[in-house]
Structure formats: structure tokens, C-alpha cells
Amino acid sequence: MENSAQQFDIAGIMGGLYGDGIIGLKGAFDRAWVQRLREDIDTLFEEAKQRPGGALNRGPNRFYVEVHPERLRGFVDIVTHPWVVAVCSAVLGPDYRIVEAGFDVPGPGAANQPWHRDFATPEATAIGRRLNSLAFNMTTVDVTEDMGPLEIAPGTQWDDLAGRSDASGMFPDKSLYPRYEALAQRKLPSMGDISARSALTIHRGTANRSNLSRPVFVLGVDAPDAGNAARHDLQATRRYWESLPALARDHMTCRVVDSLEDIVQLHTIEGLTMGV
């Protein structure tokens, strides 16, 4: 599998993520595979809504849920996909770490989010000019304009927000919005597509004016120095852990447990709880 990752153009991967801050692969999985992923996400979302703190509010009718990898039938397929392996290895290095598995659900009526990045710019990027984390997204629907697609401002992963953002370093001053709106690109992926982006690239979810939810799977991956595992709580039962192929197990930062425990989600983003 790692050898098959060599089929992808490393210069193109690096250029896309260091340039626009987002890249994608069309048709990575077939539609039947994605439908199974959607079934698992729907089940897990219903379970999460029954637990206090199980589904984090990310704005009006917009939720985020972290999940146990073994509850997703396709998890191993995702983390061992040759393109995912190639992107992680090229940008984050051979010892990249899988630190997060979850999904976003923008439902009907979800509002425009404020422009933001997912966390403050680390020193590795601000000073070293190196990306040390990536977010992979997989849609479970064919996204249309009215479903609240992701909107991204290419190249803004390098923007210095010092003195031009809130205290968290995530939310730019509204005086910068015209720049982002001028750059904005709406992403309309189809079932089976995968994207990878820097979580620092300024982006927002847009208003969902349809009568459909738009669940999207999220995989968070770090370089060894990034430290984002502290925001998450990946777990695997011993039986599942021992069943994983080396290409998955060797790159996962997670707790091995006798039985799965409810995830206490630590990466709350207060600035997203209100739409704009």
C-alpha cells in the first residue's frame, strides 16, 4: 500500500497545500462504500444526541461529533488509502500521526459561520513556514449550492492575524472579511471524493437552505510536533487495535482500552455557536 502511494505527484500535493491550502481527489471511493459510511454516521449521530456533550454545537443546527474508529466500517479504508498516505507522508513526514476522527453535520437551517481557522497558528507555521497538521474531509452527499457548502479563502493559511483577531487567534476581525469574500471558493464535492486542507486556511460553512443534512467525515492528522492529540481522545479496544494493519496502527495516536468509553470532546469552538 505504501508503494502504491508513490503513484501520486508529490510536487502537486505540496504545491496545492502550501499554495491554495486545499487539494482533492475525485472518486476515491465508490458510492456504495460512501452510503455505508453515511449509515454509520447517521447511527452515531443519533447516539451522540442522546448523551450530554455528545454532539458539539458549531452554530445553529450545525453539530460536530468525535467518534471511535472501530464504529466506522470504512475507517481502515480511509487511513490506508494510497492518496491519504501520500499526502500525509509528503506534508507531515513519514511519522505522521492520526489524532482525530469525527463528522460535521450542517442540517437544514444552518447559518453562515464566521470566517475562521480551526486553531491558532502554531510557531512551526508562523515562523518556520511549515504546515504540521491536515484535515481530510469526505462528503456523504453530492453537495449542491443550497446545501451550505464549505467556503474557503485560498492561501490564507499564511495570514498573520496577530492584532487582527479575537484572543483565540482563530477568528479574524470583520474588517478582513472583504479580502476573504474576494478570494472565496465554494467546494461542491460528490460522494466518493476526498479533500485535504490546512486547518489554518480561513474558511466557513455557509447557510444550508435545503431540506437535507450534509454530513461530512473529518480525519485529523499531525506531524509529530503538532500536539493536536491533546484536543481529542482516539480510542481502540485491544481486539480492534490488534486487528489493524500496520499502515493504520503505526500512525495512530490513541488509547487502547478494554471497552470503549464515551468521548469527552475538548475542542470546543465558542466563536462558532452563533451564525452570522
Side-chain angles (χ1 to χ4, degrees), residues 70 76 236-249 252:
E70 61 200 85
V76 172
T237 59
R238 198 165 307 280
R239 181 177 180 180
Y240 180 72
W241 181 254
E242 292 172 353
S243 76
L244 289 170
L247 186 55
R249 186 176 60 244
M252 287 177 63

Side-chain angles (χ1 to χ4, degrees), residues 4-226:
S4 63
Q6 296 174 6
Q7 67 185 283
F8 297 102
D9 176 22
I10 301 306
I13 289 170
M14 298 288 283
L17 285 167
Y18 274 74
D20 282 353
I22 188 169
I23 58 176
L25 179 68
K26 301 291 290 183
F29 293 104
D30 64 41
R31 297 180 72 86
W33 185 96
V34 179
Q35 184 57 45
R36 290 192 295 274
L37 177 66
R38 173 63 186 270
E39 291 167 2
D40 291 345
I41 285 175
D42 286 348
T43 297
L44 292 167
F45 188 38
E46 288 306 311
E47 291 179 10
K49 289 189 290 186
Q50 305 308 311
R51 297 193 309 272
L56 288 184
N57 179 9
R58 290 285 170 86
N61 207 21
R62 189 186 297 269
F63 299 94
Y64 179 72
V65 178
E66 291 198 25
V67 300
H68 301 301
E70 61 200 85
R71 298 292 309 280
L72 294 170
R73 285 170 285 179
F75 180 79
V76 172
D77 297 334
I78 296 169
V79 299
T80 62
H81 190 282
W83 186 78
V84 173
V85 173
V87 172
C88 291
S89 299
V91 177
L92 306 176
D95 191 28
Y96 64 85
R97 311 306 302 165
I98 297 162
V99 299
E100 176 187 11
F103 56 85
D104 278 307
V105 183
N112 284 335
Q113 291 180 314
W115 290 102
H116 65 284
R117 51 179 45 139
D118 290 341
F119 39 79
T121 302
E123 187 175 285
T125 305
I127 297 175
R129 292 305 184 197
R130 175 171 60 87
L131 299 178
N132 66 357
S133 68
L134 293 173
F136 290 83
N137 287 356
M138 290 189 60
T139 181
T140 62
V141 297
D142 294 331
V143 181
T144 56
E145 283 280 357
D146 63 344
M147 293 177 71
L150 176 73
E151 198 165 51
I152 195 161
T156 53
Q157 68 273 37
W158 306 110
D159 282 13
D160 181 2
L161 298 184
R164 299 189 297 170
S165 73
D166 71 330
S168 74
M170 295 166 53
F171 293 90
D173 290 342
K174 290 188 176 180
S175 63
L176 297 175
Y177 279 22
R179 163 173 157 75
Y180 306 138
E181 287 159 4
L183 291 170
Q185 295 179 1
R186 288 195 169 192
K187 299 301 180 180
L188 302 173
S190 299
M191 292 170 63
D193 300 346
I194 310 177
S195 68
R197 63 179 173 85
S198 167
L200 303 176
T201 309
I202 303 296
H203 63 281
R204 66 177 180 177
T206 59
N208 186 348
R209 298 184 174 88
S210 76
N211 60 0
L212 301 172
S213 291
R214 184 180 63 78
V216 56
F217 175 74
V218 179
L219 183 76
V221 190
D222 275 359
D225 66 316

